[in-house]
Amino acid sequence: QYPAGGSSTNPFL
Amino acid sequence: VDIPWVVKPEEKMKFDTIFDSLGPVGGMLTGDKVKPVLLNSKLPVDILGRVWELSDLNRDGMLDKDEFSVAMYLVYRALEGEPVPMSLPPPLVPPSKR
């Protein structure tokens, strides 16, 4: 669901 | 630091009403509840992502009432054509979180 290295707390990333 | 919060009381009341209508749990709204509201603004997703980064002050993936007001404030300003800042200016940090 989230890109690797992205912020897992940001629903827009 | 005694700077007045840029979110005016009447705006805060409006944002609090929206917050309550979204069904907060334990006084918090999760990302999946806030996301559709922000997407409704029709702003680009990368802008909304930055709005989220700036408003989720404790990076817990949820917004409390004050954090949600920051998010809504930034969205409304962006809709008026003002750029979303790269970092949160001190007057935008809720007094409860300084």
Side-chain angles (χ1 to χ4, degrees):
Chain A
Q1 187 177 354
Y2 300 109
S7 164
S8 62
T9 61
N10 191 325
F12 297 96
L13 294 183
Chain B
V1 192
D2 198 15
I3 318 166
W5 198 20
V6 289
V7 180
K8 300 284 176 258
E10 57 268 26
E11 268 187 314
K12 182 70 165 73
M13 278 177 56
K14 182 171 70 176
F15 297 156
D16 283 354
T17 303
I18 301 170
F19 182 92
D20 289 332
S21 73
L22 296 173
V25 176
M28 309 289 288
L29 285 175
T30 53
D32 58 325
K33 284 187 172 158
V34 175
K35 188 176 179 178
V37 180
L38 296 196
L39 286 174
N40 254 338
S41 68
K42 310 287 186 221
L43 291 169
V45 171
D46 61 322
I47 296 293
L48 295 175
R50 200 193 312 163
V51 167
W52 179 276
E53 290 292 330
L54 294 176
S55 39
D56 185 11
L57 291 160
N58 58 357
R59 299 269 184 272
D60 64 354
M62 298 186 284
L63 299 184
D64 67 15
K65 249 183 186 158
D66 286 345
E67 291 173 337
F68 181 76
S69 287
V70 174
M72 295 304 289
Y73 178 91
L74 291 169
V75 164
Y76 275 75
R77 291 298 93 82
L79 289 172
E80 290 167 359
E82 284 193 35
V84 176
M86 297 307 290
S87 61
L88 205 60
L92 250 171
V93 179
S96 63
K97 299 180 190 300
R98 289 175 189 167

